Amino acid sequence: MVDAINVYITCCHKHKPPVHECHLGKNRAGSSGLFFRDGKKRIDYILVYKKSSPQVEKRCTFEKNLRAEGLMLEKEPSLTNNDIMFVKIHAPWDTLCKYAEQMNIRMPFRFHLRCRQIKSWLPRNPMKLDKEALPDLEETDCYTAPFSRARMHHFTINNRETFFSNSTRSRIVHHVLQRTKYEDGKSKMGINRLLGNNTYEAAFPPHEGGYKSRHPIKTHGAQNHRHLLYERWARWGIWYKYQPLDLIRRYFGEKIGLYFAWLGWYTGMLIPAALVGVFVFLYGLFTMDSSQVSKEICEANTTIMCPMCEDTCEPWTLSDSCVYAKVTHLFDNGGTVFFAIFMAIWATVFLEFWKRRRAELTYDWDLIDWEEEEEELRPQFEAKYSRVERVNPISGKPEPFQPFSDKLSRLMVSVSGIFFMISLVLTAVFAVVVFRLIAMEKFASLNWYFVKKNWQFATSGTGVCINFMIIMSLNVYEKVAYLLTNLEHPRTESEWENSFALKMFLFQFVNLNSSTFYIAFFLGRFAGRPGKYNKLFNRWRLEECHPSGCLIDLCLQMGVIMFFKQIWNNFMELGYPLLQNWWSRRKMKKGGGAGQNVDNKAQLPQWDKDWNLQPMNAHGLVDEYLEMVLQFGFTTIFVAAFPLAPLLALLNNIIEIRLDAYKFVTQWRRPMPARATDIGIWHGILEGIGVLAVITNAFVIAITSDYIPRFVYAFKYGPCVDKGHHHEDECLRGYMNSSLSVFESNNSLHRYCRYRDYRAPPWSSVPYEFTLQFWHVLAARLAFIIVFEHLVFGIKSFIAYLIPDMPKDLCDRMRREKYLMQEMMYEAELEHLQKERKKNGRRYHHEWP
């Protein structure tokens, strides 16, 4: 579950050539659905269209232009649906070389053999994959350079069929598909537009065969990379093993490989956070019965509290909320401050060490010199702004350019749409607040004794359930964010994805956390006092906090939303695709036509099998990252109120890794392999969440919890003042009585009732005015916020300074590589010149009479 190292690599390397087919099982070349009919040309991409589609002319023009670009096409009817046709695409050697040069794809320059097996002296780790689980691959160490046809003699080309890996071939074909015209006109190009207007139904690279085998992998080996990924990554039985990151990257591309590397790193870092959180929770559990505050509440049989509503509610005794007070102590105790500081430091350590881990991966995966400038322009951007050009300051070549005025106007429209959607969320939160006010009065005046006695739990519980249903029903932001992002016309795919990801995060963050912020910082703050309550619309009295504080409401809100949201996400990630694929197979069996001629799924060619799988989301990994980043927010922002959040996140992520692995390998079509050097805008969002977490936890401890009022009482008003150090519980004796004010009511049975506040009694010279203790508590709260934030931010900055973004040994290896690269370039050029001289000398000797 933790991928702190790459299990496939034990010695440093820069590039490993693609594995030959014979290394992964027998008779792979004869696998059904991986080659053209001649059994030689490998299928690099699949296009799917319906025969009944009216877009025949566009499709014919597009396929004609694809052939003109050098691609080879072959059509095949579906065996499961008479209306479906598949277009198999193969990229010949010359076409691959041409576009590899255009795309600046780095290929092996020179290599020397290095260690072939995992070092035997390494101690056995049960979390690592066994040596027998790995294919017999030849470990090599070679340097890479951008491919050039003019310098083809510099590159290691042992076999043209395997020089370009399957993922690289798919990337090249996808590049051609994105830039091929289907009609006359600069804007009429690209497979995305053809998919949008239903000219084609789908476009995807094929999987490398099936993921299951009749024979055990230990005795017969893996039949293909997909089979190996399933056996050593996607199966539930190896949930505790490290992830094979190198194989994931080789099959799905660097972008998906980095996602799983980050997810594994995040999951591993959650282990210490979860352990500390459990210890804090256990401390609250063991001290729950001995807590002085809980004791005083449970023993307050004669303390009459003011009614929760003015007409139908009756006074109640403080001891009725004994259970509520004990549960509150579980999460509001002396360990709260320590855990909040620990999690703030943990977030910094997590991000700083991830930078180091990312640097190592980008070096191992040959991404150090890959920059955004090598990324191609989006076809939509090229088509929209083809008339306006500027010279690229890096390449010196003219390219389409978006004027600043156009960019600003589109951005303003996009921002307006974001604020409109956020206002809808805030409106929904306001509706939940109104529901809580109504429910509070109803539960407090209900004749059912059990509910009437536990009206706080009933109000909070029903409120959070209604809020969760509203949160799930408002998940319509995806389409809005998609439209707004396309309206902006981002320049590159990474800019498009970053813009879309930021919008989705803002929408979902506000949707998930707005009600939590209300409970943390507004609940009970403006309720007023008996005789002068503040009312909403002059009808409903604002909600008050329990005498032991509002932290339990915040804890309940976080726990319910986090638990049910993770269950729902896991179902949508795996359960929903499984149901969809099952329904597709059911329709295929019941349907007529060609489908009746197929006895079982094993006889279908690979393109038919892949067509029946679910496509990956059009916006890539945004949903995967978004789920984890929102979870990171829940784990850090209000962690002072819910110390079990890291434990829930850890348990979920252990399942999440295998769910995602199973989904990618078995339930989804193979996504287009893409390159990336980092996790994009998500790193900046994580850093922003880390800063926000420090601020919110400072306010939660100072304002939401009762830590500061208890601290002020113990050292200013309690029995331990001027008596030296005593036990904490002794110093808090009389705290509840001190925190409750007196109100003179009109009730004939109970002339006086108590309420939570620091106000003077009715018989004083200034009745119901704030007491000196109130101002002491307020000053202590403000002082704590300032001290806490400066202390934690100082520690975070110091830790970030101490931990360099790149390990020193990696810097040394990179400098050494540059030195060796220069020498190798010189030697290769010298060797080439010597061969040319010998060749010319032999020709001169042969022609001499």
Side-chain angles (χ1 to χ4, degrees):
M1 60 182 174
V2 187
D3 47 327
I5 62 171
N6 189 330
V7 299
Y8 278 87
I9 305 168
T10 57
C11 56
C12 169
H13 74 282
K14 278 300 293 165
H15 180 91
K16 293 201 295 185
V19 186
H20 196 272
E21 323 297 348
C22 60
H23 291 167
L24 292 173
K26 302 177 181 180
N27 300 326
R28 185 182 174 190
S31 299
S32 176
L34 299 177
F35 294 84
F36 276 28
R37 296 191 192 100
D38 59 8
K40 298 179 180 180
K41 300 182 183 67
R42 171 172 291 280
I43 300 175
D44 299 315
Y45 225 87
I46 299 290
L47 302 180
V48 186
Y49 70 88
K50 289 183 177 180
K51 299 177 185 178
S52 57
S53 172
Q55 310 285 355
V56 178
E57 185 177 351
K58 292 180 181 179
R59 185 170 61 248
C60 291
T61 304
F62 184 70
E63 294 173 4
K64 177 183 176 182
N65 292 335
L66 289 178
R67 292 187 177 94
E69 292 290 338
L71 299 180
M72 302 181 69
L73 276 62
E74 186 177 80
K75 295 189 177 182
E76 199 80 40
S78 172
L79 298 180
T80 60
N81 191 330
N82 284 329
D83 194 33
I84 294 295
M85 284 291 292
F86 297 100
V87 180
K88 300 176 288 183
I89 301 178
H90 169 75
W93 171 254
D94 292 338
T95 305
L96 292 172
C97 293
K98 171 186 172 182
Y99 283 101
E101 184 176 10
Q102 289 185 13
M103 298 169 64
N104 290 323
I105 294 178
R106 302 181 70 87
M107 299 304 296
F109 184 78
R110 280 295 174 90
F111 70 91
H112 305 281
L113 293 179
R114 291 288 294 272
C115 52
R116 290 193 55 176
Q117 294 181 346
I118 295 178
K119 296 180 181 179
S120 58
W121 53 264
L122 287 175
R124 179 173 178 80
N125 187 337
M127 297 174 68
K128 295 180 182 178
L129 292 172
D130 300 330
K131 289 187 293 184
E132 293 79 7
L134 308 180
D136 187 15
L137 305 181
E138 183 180 37
E139 294 287 351
T140 60
D141 182 23
C142 56
Y143 300 110
T144 62
F147 185 79
S148 171
R149 287 177 291 178
R151 295 185 177 183
M152 195 175 294
H153 53 277
H154 289 174
F155 296 92
T156 308
I157 307 176
N158 296 326
N159 188 335
R160 290 187 173 187
E161 296 298 323
T162 59
F163 178 66
F164 294 104
S165 66
N166 291 341
S167 60
T168 302
R169 296 171 69 100
S170 299
R171 275 203 300 132
I172 292 175
V173 174
H174 181 77
H175 175 87
V176 178
L177 292 174
Q178 289 281 62
R179 282 154 182 80
T180 301
K181 294 183 178 180
Y182 57 87
E183 280 185 10
D184 294 333
K186 294 185 177 181
S187 63
K188 306 296 185 180
M189 68 166 61
I191 186 63
N192 289 343
R193 290 179 177 269
L194 292 176
L195 292 172
N197 60 27
N198 296 324
T199 301
Y200 289 99
E201 298 296 318
F204 52 87
H207 277 295
E208 297 181 7
Y211 63 89
K212 286 187 177 180
S213 175
R214 297 179 180 177
H215 307 290
I217 189 174
K218 290 185 178 181
T219 57
H220 290 72
Q223 293 188 350
N224 51 66
H225 282 144
R226 189 188 184 196
H227 180 212
L228 184 63
L229 279 171
Y230 175 77
E231 291 290 337
R232 303 308 178 196
W233 181 45
R235 286 194 305 109
W236 294 100
I238 55 173
W239 62 270
Y240 58 95
K241 298 283 188 179
Y242 286 105
Q243 298 183 86
L245 294 179
D246 189 58
L247 188 60
I248 298 170
R249 167 248 181 174
R250 197 182 307 170
Y251 192 81
F252 292 110
E254 289 81 1
K255 193 171 187 177
I256 294 177
L258 273 176
Y259 163 71
F260 281 103
W262 175 83
L263 180 57
W265 186 260
Y266 170 46
T267 303
M269 290 294 292
L270 280 172
I271 295 176
L275 291 176
V276 176
V278 170
F279 288 148
V280 172
F281 176 79
L282 291 177
Y283 170 78
L285 182 65
F286 292 145
T287 59
M288 181 173 60
D289 293 330
S290 61
S291 169
Q292 181 64 29
V293 177
S294 300
K295 284 182 179 179
E296 292 185 0
I297 293 178
C298 294
E299 295 172 359
N301 297 320
T302 59
T303 303
I304 305 301
M305 302 298 295
C306 295
M308 296 306 302
C309 55
E310 297 178 350
D311 299 327
T312 58
C313 300
E314 298 178 357
W316 53 287
T317 58
L318 182 59
S319 59
D320 290 343
S321 59
C322 177
V323 176
Y324 201 89
K326 289 184 177 181
V327 174
T328 299
H329 181 75
L330 287 175
F331 306 98
D332 189 4
N333 52 66
T336 301
V337 178
F338 162 75
F339 191 56
I341 297 176
F342 172 83
M343 287 303 297
I345 297 173
W346 172 87
T348 301
V349 172
F350 159 64
L351 291 175
E352 291 301 320
F353 276 99
W354 163 247
K355 292 178 184 178
R356 295 167 63 88
R357 175 62 175 149
R358 185 199 66 85
E360 293 174 353
L361 287 174
T362 52
Y363 176 81
D364 290 340
W365 292 352
D366 198 26
L367 296 170
I368 292 293
D369 297 325
W370 187 84
E371 299 178 358
E372 186 179 350
E373 288 301 327
E374 299 180 35
E375 191 176 3
E376 302 89 2
L377 299 177
R378 297 182 73 236
Q380 295 86 343
F381 182 87
E382 289 180 312
K384 179 68 176 178
Y385 300 104
S386 58
R387 297 182 180 180
V388 183
E389 291 187 346
R390 72 162 185 179
V391 177
N392 188 303
I394 306 300
S395 63
K397 300 177 181 179
E399 66 177 16
F401 173 70
Q402 184 180 17
F404 177 77
S405 58
D406 181 80
K407 186 174 184 178
L408 181 62
S409 60
R410 293 178 178 275
L411 187 62
M412 293 300 295
V413 174
S414 180
V415 171
S416 301
I418 293 174
F419 277 109
F420 174 75
M421 294 302 298
I422 290 178
S423 64
L424 290 182
V425 176
L426 298 180
T427 303
V429 172
F430 181 75
V432 174
V433 172
V434 174
F435 169 81
R436 289 176 65 102
L437 298 182
I438 299 174
M440 178 185 67
E441 290 190 2
K442 298 298 182 183
F443 289 140
S445 60
L446 202 63
N447 292 328
W448 190 358
Y449 176 76
F450 178 78
V451 175
K452 185 176 182 178
K453 183 179 179 180
N454 300 281
W455 60 266
Q456 297 103 330
F457 277 120
T459 302
S460 300
T462 54
V464 70
C465 291
I466 295 295
N467 185 44
F468 177 75
M469 289 188 287
I470 292 178
I471 287 174
M472 302 310 298
S473 64
L474 286 178
N475 278 332
V476 296
Y477 310 121
E478 184 176 326
K479 294 182 179 179
V480 178
Y482 190 84
L483 292 174
L484 293 177
T485 306
N486 285 335
L487 179 66
E488 296 174 6
H489 285 296
R491 179 175 173 272
T492 62
E493 285 296 334
S494 62
E495 289 181 6
W496 187 96
E497 188 167 314
N498 287 341
S499 178
F500 179 77
L502 181 60
K503 293 179 181 61
M504 286 295 295
F505 171 75
L506 289 175
F507 292 155
Q508 292 282 20
F509 183 82
V510 174
N511 188 24
L512 278 176
N513 294 283
S514 53
S515 57
T516 310
F517 272 90
Y518 162 75
I519 293 175
F521 305 125
F522 297 97
L523 179 64
R525 307 290 171 237
F526 310 100
R529 62 173 179 82
K532 197 178 180 181
Y533 281 116
N534 297 321
K535 295 184 178 181
L536 184 65
F537 304 133
N538 293 322
R539 171 63 180 86
W540 296 291
R541 203 174 92 186
L542 295 183
E543 197 171 356
E544 295 181 72
C545 288
H546 183 265
S548 58
C550 284
L551 200 67
I552 188 62
D553 295 270
L554 180 59
C555 174
L556 185 63
Q557 175 83 10
M558 289 186 58
V560 171
I561 291 181
M562 189 174 184
F563 179 75
F564 285 107
K565 186 73 165 59
Q566 290 182 164
I567 291 179
W568 176 258
N569 287 339
N570 290 335
F571 168 76
M572 292 302 294
E573 285 192 5
L574 183 62
Y576 187 64
L578 281 172
L579 290 175
Q580 284 184 311
N581 291 333
W582 170 80
W583 185 252
S584 298
R585 293 192 298 269
R586 187 171 181 271
K587 289 195 300 182
M588 182 180 69
K589 291 179 180 179
K590 288 191 174 184
Q596 293 179 343
N597 300 326
V598 182
D599 294 332
N600 57 61
K601 188 179 178 181
Q603 296 180 1
L604 293 176
Q606 191 61 45
W607 55 77
D608 245 324
K609 295 178 183 177
D610 290 353
W611 164 244
N612 290 318
L613 297 177
Q614 297 303 309
M616 185 178 177
N617 294 330
H619 39 267
L621 294 169
V622 171
D623 287 345
E624 314 299 328
Y625 276 115
L626 180 63
E627 178 186 352
M628 291 295 102
V629 170
L630 291 174
Q631 182 201 86
F632 180 81
F634 263 92
T635 307
T636 55
I637 292 179
F638 293 104
V639 73
F642 191 49
L644 293 180
L647 177 62
L648 289 181
L650 174 63
L651 297 177
N652 175 79
N653 288 6
I654 293 174
I655 300 173
E656 178 75 20
I657 291 177
R658 302 305 158 182
L659 275 180
D660 284 347
Y662 186 83
K663 176 178 61 181
F664 271 91
V665 174
T666 68
Q667 300 302 310
W668 276 5
R669 298 170 192 160
R670 187 178 184 180
M672 201 283 294
R675 307 199 87 190
T677 58
D678 52 30
I679 60 176
I681 198 174
W682 299 110
H683 189 275
I685 293 176
L686 290 171
E687 288 184 333
I689 291 176
V691 173
L692 181 62
V694 176
I695 300 173
T696 53
N697 281 299
F699 277 86
V700 166
I701 296 172
I703 296 176
T704 310
S705 77
D706 264 13
Y707 177 80
I708 298 300
R710 292 196 300 264
F711 181 85
V712 171
Y713 178 81
F715 290 94
K716 186 67 176 177
Y717 298 95
C720 296
V721 178
D722 299 329
K723 293 183 181 180
H725 179 72
H726 290 275
H727 192 271
E728 179 184 1
D729 289 339
E730 296 181 6
C731 297
L732 289 176
R733 189 179 297 116
Y735 167 74
M736 279 312 303
N737 185 64
S738 174
S739 63
L740 296 177
S741 299
V742 180
F743 175 72
E744 186 175 5
S745 66
N746 297 324
N747 193 300
S748 58
L749 296 177
H750 307 287
R751 181 180 178 185
Y752 296 103
C753 65
R754 310 296 295 273
Y755 63 98
R756 179 183 170 85
D757 210 340
Y758 296 100
R759 294 180 181 271
W763 53 81
S764 67
S765 58
V766 283
Y768 305 121
E769 293 295 327
F770 289 118
T771 62
L772 184 61
Q773 186 176 355
F774 169 83
W775 299 109
H776 284 164
V777 170
L778 179 61
R781 282 173 167 168
L782 296 177
F784 176 84
I785 291 172
I786 295 173
V787 172
F788 182 91
E789 289 182 354
H790 282 71
L791 175 65
V792 175
F793 279 132
I795 296 175
K796 285 168 65 72
S797 301
F798 182 67
I799 292 175
Y801 171 77
L802 289 180
I803 303 175
D805 293 347
M806 187 175 293
K808 184 179 183 301
D809 62 332
L810 180 59
C811 295
D812 295 338
R813 294 206 308 266
M814 291 174 61
R815 286 195 291 266
R816 173 68 175 169
E817 176 190 324
K818 290 182 180 179
Y819 170 76
L820 293 177
M821 189 65 181
Q822 293 176 354
E823 284 194 346
M824 291 171 62
M825 290 281 288
Y826 174 77
E827 292 175 1
E829 195 65 34
L830 184 63
E831 181 182 351
H832 178 66
L833 291 175
Q834 290 175 350
K835 289 182 179 179
E836 289 293 326
R837 288 176 181 175
K838 290 181 180 180
K839 183 178 180 180
N840 292 336
R842 287 195 301 268
R843 184 185 304 165
Y844 175 77
H845 179 75
H846 178 73
E847 294 177 353
W848 186 258

